[in-house]
Amino acid sequence: MKGDWERAAGLLAARGYTCVLCKGEKVYTSTARGVGPLIRWLDEKTDLNGFCAADKVVGKAAAALYVLLGVAAVYAPVMSGMAVQMLEEHGIEVRYDQCVRAVRNRTDTGPCPMEEAVRYLESPWEALAAIRERRKQLAAAKKECVPGR
């Protein structure tokens, strides 16, 4: 597993990916931001059981999704304390460079909306439902803000 973990972290750093999962010869990557790639892999029923993941930022929402994906280990340069707790409670190994109290939104003007959506939830399945709902809300709000409408 150590080799998979180091490979995932190396690809994350060197190739500009936002998310990398490795297990043996299998590698999954994404350049999409946020929890979108994790949701897609869940929806596609991609078998990521036992994979090692490297992700740019892991908050509690992403941690819940990694639990549901069945990964064995997660590394992130930045990880929230709530994410660490969620992952460790489900037997997933954790490594990070910096542990923060909470993940901030992309403009650094407040908390990450996904982190806020799952803040008080303990079940990864409840978290998944809350994440899906928050994504719908954000998409609807984005449509309302389109110029000329």
Side-chain angles (χ1 to χ4, degrees):
M1 184 165 70
K2 182 180 177 189
D4 291 333
W5 212 343
E6 290 171 350
R7 186 169 168 213
L11 287 170
L12 182 77
R15 301 270 177 97
Y17 295 118
T18 55
C19 181
V20 179
L21 291 97
C22 295
K23 182 179 179 184
E25 296 301 314
K26 292 184 178 181
V27 177
Y28 292 89
T29 62
S30 180
T31 56
R33 294 169 28 178
V35 297
L38 306 180
I39 294 284
R40 181 174 44 91
W41 289 323
L42 272 170
D43 289 346
E44 293 173 353
K45 299 184 182 355
T46 305
D47 182 9
L48 296 173
N49 192 47
F51 275 68
C52 292
D55 197 317
K56 287 196 98 143
V57 178
V58 175
K60 187 175 180 179
L65 298 176
Y66 279 121
V67 169
L68 295 175
L69 287 166
V71 301
V74 178
Y75 159 75
V78 177
M79 189 176 293
S80 75
M82 292 185 295
V84 171
Q85 183 178 351
M86 169 74 74
L87 293 166
E88 288 180 343
E89 284 176 356
H90 289 88
I92 297 172
E93 290 188 52
V94 176
R95 288 188 193 170
Y96 52 83
D97 296 333
Q98 180 183 14
C99 185
V100 296
R101 190 167 153 228
V103 174
R104 306 278 295 167
N105 65 23
R106 292 177 185 157
T107 58
D108 197 25
T109 56
C112 166
M114 296 301 153
E115 186 108 331
E116 281 296 298
V118 302
R119 169 174 239 120
Y120 300 106
L121 302 177
E122 298 302 320
S123 160
W125 290 108
E126 288 177 333
L128 176 59
I131 292 164
R132 289 189 192 282
E133 181 59 30
R134 182 59 53 96
R135 286 172 50 99
K136 284 180 191 172
Q137 292 169 355
L138 291 171
K142 189 174 184 180
K143 287 179 184 175
E144 291 174 9
C145 295
V146 175
R149 286 193 175 178

